[in-house]
Amino acid sequence: MTENQRDTGPRHAVGEDRALTALDAALAASDADATEAFLTARSGEYTRFADTRVHHPQDIVEQQLMVRVVVDGHAARAATSRIEDITGTVHRACRAARAQAAAGLPGHAHPVAAAPEGRPDAPVRHPDTGTWDVGERSRLAGHAMDAARRAGGAAYGMFGRATTELAVATSGGVRVHTSATEAGAALTVKIDDGSSHWTDLGRSSTALDTHANITRAIGQARAARTPEELPDGVHDVVLGPLAAAEFLDFFGTFGFTGSALADGVGAVAERRGHQVASPLITVADDALAPVGLPIAFDFEGVPKRRVTFLDRGRVADAVTDLASAALLGTTSTGHAHIAREESPRAIPMNLVMSAGHTPEDALIAGVERGVYIQRFWYTRAVDTQATTITGVSRDACFLIEHGVLTRPVRGRRFTESVFGALARVDAVGDRLASKPLMNTWNGCASAPALRIRGFRFGSRPATSRDT
Amino acid sequence: MTPRPGPHSWGETADPRTADALLEAALDAATGPGVDHADVRLVECEELRLYAHHGAAPDERVEHNLGIGVRVLLDGAWGFAGLPLGDHTTAREAAHRAVANATEAARVNTERVTLPARTAVTGRFSTPVRTDPFAVPAQERYALLDAVLAAATAPARVVSAQAGFNAKRQHRHFADTEGSRQHQDFTESGAMLMAFAADRGQVQRRSYPNSFHGNTAAAGWEYVRSLDLVEEAARVGDEAVALLTAPTADPGIADLVIGPAQMSLQIHESCGHALELDRILGDEANYAGTSFITKDAIGALRYGSEAVDITADPTLPGTRGTFAFDDEGTPAARRPLVTRGVVRDFLSHRDSAARIGRAPIGAARSDGWAYPPVCFATNVFLEPGRGSTGELLERLGDGYLIDDNRSWSIDERRLNFQFGTEVAYEVRNGRKGRLLRDFSYGGTTPQFWGSVEAVAGPEEFKAFGMPCGKGEPKQWGFLGHGAAPTLVRGVRIGVA
């Protein structure tokens, strides 16, 4: 189904006609040399529950129209949630750009996007998400809590759906709108001292297979009771898809961005073409893939392009927006982003690690002694040059003995190089799972399970870099 | 209540009478069969941000938003809706959606919440502002930004630098079915600077006035002027370069004096979050996590040493955690959280406090109008002790002086943590010596706080504003934390 067909998905915050009318008004109100306007809107419905109750059932509608104007090579932005009354906002942006010019600042702002030739298609609307209304989600939450209670534990989580809209118009001829459904689920089950977690999100609520995953999570939490300590040291591991997806969060930090490339730092600037990971590993930013949260274009109206970061283990390319593309003398890959309380820059937003051909059970069967890790938690970069991150393992983690999961183990801190770990991958799972990317608009990371030969838990030993 | 001319007389809802009409419309629509309580927040916010990377065009933006959030308690179940504001129709629509959500929740809930009755509290609050940051001439901002970047990038091996300023102003209007009517006007100003030096595959970063997002204060532009940004930018650039050739500390067990910026994050991660009562009760188990602290810890749990006094006080001016009323109308008050190392209270809101039979301390915070209130830190700080940093270093003897966070991670119970800092200095015989790079330390929360030996005096105290994430969907909280340099014995270092 295309986004222009009628469906019964979650309600729109704005809708195509209103959005494009507002953008047209913004362009008409501008007397700048060039003007770009984009509208983001999200109508979200979230059923959040904990143990005995749905404690945060929420409807949240957010919308913003932001304009960027260019005057004599100087650019400024202004934004408002009042999309029907945009004139004053446009004038504020124009005044700010003129003030920069009057102050004698260097005037080399990047231009706005021109109308593209053709437009990629992304599978963004699924009508089944329309049936996932507050009643259905509340019933599912009740079922999860009841089933966990019957198993001697408790369930916590959130089932939500949304319609996300993006519309862009520029004085260069761009005029586009997209409306995407979104369905997301997250569940943590605790039984005694055991726990399990499940997260997935995408455009279709049916694809989440929520009932089955509730049952699976309860079973895993039951199996994870009475965990024992995992000793520090190097272990062969099988990372579940959520644990593997955690690695993807850091590719922006590791230098797969136009700004890092322009500064001459990070993986692409310093190691392009180098074999840093196993040939089994291909990582890309691919907003056109039918996984996660596909979308066709970015805030600047530039069509999304697949950008390969690791091509069978070799460092490849970086994502760009119009600004970083101008610095690099190339074209934008469609990755403009503006994070809250940060300056605009291109970042990865739809990360996908390619699936392999090995079922997760077979990954586990290939480990004589090791550890299965369901997910990582609170991972943060320690050394972006060495691609070192730290975090802890958590929830349903088990020893692997003679190719099968045996005793549960407690979470443990790790500090590891992402490239180093990916270099030791010897098999890749056949199924992707998706998780949200923090602080990223429409951000998603999708990954398969991985088998890694040698993954260190505990403190990092001294290395030659320390001397 | 006509608004006074000045830094708070901006926007569509500066006049409380305008806001009151919308609040009443929402409250009227939120009452009905089964509704035990309703509250409404009307928030208008404007943010000004100016960022520049050395050598690139600056990015300047001003963002305005206005919306209404309605929360109802119906048959003991909460419901919430937040909508961008159109007119009175929007206010009623938000109320209807909140009631519909609560109705569905009540069908499946096995636990029902009853809020103890509360006397209505009405009042106004405005951030004291000497210089309205939105009235500062653009020319001044541009000139300062240019000078800061020039100073930071003067050293040859500084490959990039970013600097920026931010200002935020808000009108927050609140009303509830108990009769409370509150109007608060907030102003914030802040700045950030990061310089990156690179050489032979190594990159080092220095920041000012704090890492990542810089620092933001509840104040006018006078705060930015107080930062001596150009002078500090020169220092930051030089230090980033010096770190490239600095040695590292040997891993092991060491004594530390931790500076105010890093201590503020230590407080945030291992104290503030750990004491959030909604976490303790499991409300955040699926997302932000739980806590090693249990609901029966008050008066019973030794959290730290006798030197550890931790206070929540939103009445202290100047921080992102400063306010007169929290986001469900509880008046701000100074509350001891940890006294001489023992837990004395939690960061609670009405829902969580009611569930354990305590009064809320007023830690309900929400990210503007669009999100329901959850327990966030307010202005949570380590009480200063006595003496200067120099005296504390003398007491330290041999060890390290560290500050400015580079990396942070903590487990979901807020127990096992690992931090890295931008800078560390070797200390020998109480004297600050060599600069060291890539410093890290780790431990567990009670062990760390139990090893605090001394805290420097109030003259060394610094406060920092920081953002934080919690809730599903994630909302941001804006908090204040502060500390004076703190002496901690027997900490594991070189862990990353």
mmCIF file of all heavy atoms in Angstrom, chain B residues 14-42:
data_model
loop_
_atom_site.group_PDB
_atom_site.id
_atom_site.type_symbol
_atom_site.label_atom_id
_atom_site.label_comp_id
_atom_site.label_asym_id
_atom_site.label_seq_id
_atom_site.Cartn_x
_atom_site.Cartn_y
_atom_site.Cartn_z
ATOM 1 N N ALA B 14 1.969 35.343 28.139
ATOM 2 C CA ALA B 14 2.627 36.110 29.202
ATOM 3 C C ALA B 14 1.614 36.582 30.235
ATOM 4 O O ALA B 14 1.922 36.674 31.430
ATOM 5 C CB ALA B 14 3.372 37.302 28.606
ATOM 6 N N ASP B 15 0.417 36.879 29.784
ATOM 7 C CA ASP B 15 -0.630 37.332 30.692
ATOM 8 C C ASP B 15 -1.327 36.108 31.289
ATOM 9 O O ASP B 15 -1.941 35.320 30.560
ATOM 10 C CB ASP B 15 -1.636 38.186 29.925
ATOM 11 C CG ASP B 15 -2.656 38.834 30.851
ATOM 12 O OD1 ASP B 15 -2.839 38.334 31.985
ATOM 13 O OD2 ASP B 15 -3.278 39.821 30.431
ATOM 14 N N PRO B 16 -1.241 35.912 32.597
ATOM 15 C CA PRO B 16 -1.872 34.743 33.211
ATOM 16 C C PRO B 16 -3.370 34.645 32.931
ATOM 17 O O PRO B 16 -3.917 33.545 32.918
ATOM 18 C CB PRO B 16 -1.611 34.938 34.710
ATOM 19 C CG PRO B 16 -0.397 35.789 34.779
ATOM 20 C CD PRO B 16 -0.486 36.701 33.592
ATOM 21 N N ARG B 17 -4.006 35.781 32.673
ATOM 22 C CA ARG B 17 -5.445 35.723 32.403
ATOM 23 C C ARG B 17 -5.720 34.997 31.094
ATOM 24 O O ARG B 17 -6.720 34.285 30.966
ATOM 25 C CB ARG B 17 -6.023 37.141 32.372
ATOM 26 C CG ARG B 17 -6.028 37.809 33.740
ATOM 27 C CD ARG B 17 -6.338 39.270 33.657
ATOM 28 N NE ARG B 17 -5.320 39.988 32.872
ATOM 29 C CZ ARG B 17 -5.233 41.313 32.803
ATOM 30 N NH1 ARG B 17 -6.088 42.074 33.459
ATOM 31 N NH2 ARG B 17 -4.298 41.884 32.075
ATOM 32 N N THR B 18 -4.853 35.193 30.113
ATOM 33 C CA THR B 18 -4.993 34.452 28.848
ATOM 34 C C THR B 18 -4.851 32.961 29.111
ATOM 35 O O THR B 18 -5.621 32.145 28.605
ATOM 36 C CB THR B 18 -3.901 34.901 27.854
ATOM 37 O OG1 THR B 18 -3.962 36.309 27.711
ATOM 38 C CG2 THR B 18 -4.060 34.215 26.514
ATOM 39 N N ALA B 19 -3.841 32.622 29.903
ATOM 40 C CA ALA B 19 -3.601 31.210 30.219
ATOM 41 C C ALA B 19 -4.751 30.622 31.018
ATOM 42 O O ALA B 19 -5.177 29.481 30.777
ATOM 43 C CB ALA B 19 -2.294 31.076 30.989
ATOM 44 N N ASP B 20 -5.265 31.381 31.973
ATOM 45 C CA ASP B 20 -6.317 30.851 32.847
ATOM 46 C C ASP B 20 -7.533 30.390 32.061
ATOM 47 O O ASP B 20 -8.146 29.361 32.378
ATOM 48 C CB ASP B 20 -6.730 31.908 33.877
ATOM 49 C CG ASP B 20 -5.732 32.023 35.020
ATOM 50 O OD1 ASP B 20 -4.952 31.065 35.229
ATOM 51 O OD2 ASP B 20 -5.726 33.064 35.694
ATOM 52 N N ALA B 21 -7.891 31.131 31.028
ATOM 53 C CA ALA B 21 -9.075 30.763 30.248
ATOM 54 C C ALA B 21 -8.883 29.397 29.599
ATOM 55 O O ALA B 21 -9.811 28.575 29.568
ATOM 56 C CB ALA B 21 -9.347 31.830 29.197
ATOM 57 N N LEU B 22 -7.681 29.141 29.098
ATOM 58 C CA LEU B 22 -7.393 27.848 28.476
ATOM 59 C C LEU B 22 -7.327 26.740 29.520
ATOM 60 O O LEU B 22 -7.812 25.622 29.300
ATOM 61 C CB LEU B 22 -6.080 27.930 27.699
ATOM 62 C CG LEU B 22 -6.146 28.784 26.435
ATOM 63 C CD1 LEU B 22 -4.774 29.296 26.048
ATOM 64 C CD2 LEU B 22 -6.761 27.977 25.294
ATOM 65 N N LEU B 23 -6.716 27.039 30.644
ATOM 66 C CA LEU B 23 -6.630 26.043 31.723
ATOM 67 C C LEU B 23 -8.028 25.635 32.183
ATOM 68 O O LEU B 23 -8.317 24.444 32.380
ATOM 69 C CB LEU B 23 -5.834 26.604 32.899
ATOM 70 C CG LEU B 23 -4.352 26.918 32.654
ATOM 71 C CD1 LEU B 23 -3.765 27.669 33.852
ATOM 72 C CD2 LEU B 23 -3.552 25.650 32.385
ATOM 73 N N GLU B 24 -8.896 26.631 32.344
ATOM 74 C CA GLU B 24 -10.257 26.325 32.817
ATOM 75 C C GLU B 24 -11.019 25.504 31.783
ATOM 76 O O GLU B 24 -11.771 24.587 32.143
ATOM 77 C CB GLU B 24 -11.024 27.618 33.133
ATOM 78 C CG GLU B 24 -10.398 28.484 34.221
ATOM 79 C CD GLU B 24 -10.220 27.774 35.554
ATOM 80 O OE1 GLU B 24 -10.974 26.820 35.830
ATOM 81 O OE2 GLU B 24 -9.317 28.163 36.321
ATOM 82 N N ALA B 25 -10.832 25.820 30.513
ATOM 83 C CA ALA B 25 -11.516 25.054 29.465
ATOM 84 C C ALA B 25 -11.106 23.585 29.520
ATOM 85 O O ALA B 25 -11.945 22.678 29.395
ATOM 86 C CB ALA B 25 -11.197 25.641 28.093
ATOM 87 N N ALA B 26 -9.817 23.362 29.720
ATOM 88 C CA ALA B 26 -9.342 21.977 29.804
ATOM 89 C C ALA B 26 -9.857 21.292 31.061
ATOM 90 O O ALA B 26 -10.296 20.131 31.011
ATOM 91 C CB ALA B 26 -7.813 21.953 29.771
ATOM 92 N N LEU B 27 -9.804 21.978 32.183
ATOM 93 C CA LEU B 27 -10.287 21.377 33.429
ATOM 94 C C LEU B 27 -11.773 21.047 33.345
ATOM 95 O O LEU B 27 -12.215 19.989 33.803
ATOM 96 C CB LEU B 27 -10.034 22.319 34.613
ATOM 97 C CG LEU B 27 -8.648 22.313 35.236
ATOM 98 C CD1 LEU B 27 -8.613 23.272 36.422
ATOM 99 C CD2 LEU B 27 -8.214 20.914 35.670
ATOM 100 N N ASP B 28 -12.548 21.952 32.751
ATOM 101 C CA ASP B 28 -13.980 21.688 32.599
ATOM 102 C C ASP B 28 -14.213 20.411 31.807
ATOM 103 O O ASP B 28 -15.085 19.604 32.136
ATOM 104 C CB ASP B 28 -14.665 22.863 31.881
ATOM 105 C CG ASP B 28 -14.811 24.075 32.788
ATOM 106 O OD1 ASP B 28 -14.607 23.920 34.018
ATOM 107 O OD2 ASP B 28 -15.107 25.157 32.271
ATOM 108 N N ALA B 29 -13.429 20.232 30.754
ATOM 109 C CA ALA B 29 -13.612 19.061 29.899
ATOM 110 C C ALA B 29 -13.074 17.793 30.537
ATOM 111 O O ALA B 29 -13.447 16.687 30.140
ATOM 112 C CB ALA B 29 -12.922 19.296 28.559
ATOM 113 N N ALA B 30 -12.199 17.950 31.511
ATOM 114 C CA ALA B 30 -11.568 16.780 32.138
ATOM 115 C C ALA B 30 -12.378 16.236 33.305
ATOM 116 O O ALA B 30 -12.067 15.167 33.829
ATOM 117 C CB ALA B 30 -10.165 17.134 32.610
ATOM 118 N N THR B 31 -13.376 16.963 33.746
ATOM 119 C CA THR B 31 -14.176 16.477 34.873
ATOM 120 C C THR B 31 -15.321 15.623 34.331
ATOM 121 O O THR B 31 -15.770 15.792 33.207
ATOM 122 C CB THR B 31 -14.753 17.649 35.685
ATOM 123 O OG1 THR B 31 -15.465 18.510 34.804
ATOM 124 C CG2 THR B 31 -13.648 18.420 36.373
ATOM 125 N N GLY B 32 -15.749 14.681 35.149
ATOM 126 C CA GLY B 32 -16.841 13.809 34.728
ATOM 127 C C GLY B 32 -16.904 12.601 35.610
ATOM 128 O O GLY B 32 -16.183 12.507 36.621
ATOM 129 N N PRO B 33 -17.767 11.654 35.246
ATOM 130 C CA PRO B 33 -17.934 10.459 36.080
ATOM 131 C C PRO B 33 -16.614 9.728 36.287
ATOM 132 O O PRO B 33 -15.901 9.438 35.322
ATOM 133 C CB PRO B 33 -18.917 9.605 35.267
ATOM 134 C CG PRO B 33 -19.599 10.551 34.351
ATOM 135 C CD PRO B 33 -18.634 11.635 34.069
ATOM 136 N N GLY B 34 -16.296 9.438 37.529
ATOM 137 C CA GLY B 34 -15.106 8.655 37.848
ATOM 138 C C GLY B 34 -13.831 9.440 37.946
ATOM 139 O O GLY B 34 -12.803 8.914 38.380
ATOM 140 N N VAL B 35 -13.815 10.723 37.534
ATOM 141 C CA VAL B 35 -12.577 11.508 37.564
ATOM 142 C C VAL B 35 -12.315 11.966 38.993
ATOM 143 O O VAL B 35 -13.094 12.718 39.574
ATOM 144 C CB VAL B 35 -12.648 12.714 36.608
ATOM 145 C CG1 VAL B 35 -11.403 13.593 36.781
ATOM 146 C CG2 VAL B 35 -12.768 12.243 35.170
ATOM 147 N N ASP B 36 -11.217 11.475 39.562
ATOM 148 C CA ASP B 36 -10.849 11.839 40.929
ATOM 149 C C ASP B 36 -10.028 13.122 40.969
ATOM 150 O O ASP B 36 -10.028 13.839 41.962
ATOM 151 C CB ASP B 36 -10.009 10.715 41.558
ATOM 152 C CG ASP B 36 -10.672 9.354 41.412
ATOM 153 O OD1 ASP B 36 -11.855 9.235 41.784
ATOM 154 O OD2 ASP B 36 -10.002 8.424 40.922
ATOM 155 N N HIS B 37 -9.276 13.347 39.898
ATOM 156 C CA HIS B 37 -8.336 14.477 39.900
ATOM 157 C C HIS B 37 -7.984 14.791 38.450
ATOM 158 O O HIS B 37 -7.927 13.896 37.605
ATOM 159 C CB HIS B 37 -7.057 14.097 40.661
ATOM 160 C CG HIS B 37 -5.957 15.105 40.555
ATOM 161 N ND1 HIS B 37 -5.852 16.184 41.397
ATOM 162 C CD2 HIS B 37 -4.903 15.201 39.689
ATOM 163 C CE1 HIS B 37 -4.784 16.899 41.070
ATOM 164 N NE2 HIS B 37 -4.194 16.316 40.042
ATOM 165 N N ALA B 38 -7.751 16.052 38.193
ATOM 166 C CA ALA B 38 -7.210 16.445 36.886
ATOM 167 C C ALA B 38 -6.272 17.621 37.082
ATOM 168 O O ALA B 38 -6.482 18.455 37.972
ATOM 169 C CB ALA B 38 -8.337 16.823 35.922
ATOM 170 N N ASP B 39 -5.220 17.649 36.281
ATOM 171 C CA ASP B 39 -4.387 18.848 36.258
ATOM 172 C C ASP B 39 -3.979 19.165 34.826
ATOM 173 O O ASP B 39 -3.993 18.298 33.945
ATOM 174 C CB ASP B 39 -3.180 18.765 37.205
ATOM 175 C CG ASP B 39 -2.302 17.557 36.986
ATOM 176 O OD1 ASP B 39 -2.115 17.166 35.827
ATOM 177 O OD2 ASP B 39 -1.773 17.026 37.979
ATOM 178 N N VAL B 40 -3.673 20.416 34.611
ATOM 179 C CA VAL B 40 -3.415 20.928 33.268
ATOM 180 C C VAL B 40 -2.170 21.788 33.301
ATOM 181 O O VAL B 40 -1.991 22.591 34.220
ATOM 182 C CB VAL B 40 -4.601 21.799 32.776
ATOM 183 C CG1 VAL B 40 -4.361 22.257 31.338
ATOM 184 C CG2 VAL B 40 -5.905 21.046 32.881
ATOM 185 N N ARG B 41 -1.327 21.603 32.304
ATOM 186 C CA ARG B 41 -0.149 22.463 32.157
ATOM 187 C C ARG B 41 -0.161 23.085 30.765
ATOM 188 O O ARG B 41 -0.235 22.365 29.766
ATOM 189 C CB ARG B 41 1.140 21.666 32.357
ATOM 190 C CG ARG B 41 1.395 21.306 33.821
ATOM 191 C CD ARG B 41 2.589 20.419 34.002
ATOM 192 N NE ARG B 41 2.412 19.158 33.285
ATOM 193 C CZ ARG B 41 3.072 18.849 32.182
ATOM 194 N NH1 ARG B 41 3.956 19.671 31.675
ATOM 195 N NH2 ARG B 41 2.843 17.700 31.592
ATOM 196 N N LEU B 42 -0.107 24.375 30.750
ATOM 197 C CA LEU B 42 -0.012 25.134 29.511
ATOM 198 C C LEU B 42 1.398 25.719 29.482
ATOM 199 O O LEU B 42 1.773 26.465 30.393
ATOM 200 C CB LEU B 42 -1.050 26.247 29.501
ATOM 201 C CG LEU B 42 -1.012 27.222 28.323
ATOM 202 C CD1 LEU B 42 -1.447 26.537 27.030
ATOM 203 C CD2 LEU B 42 -1.917 28.415 28.609
#
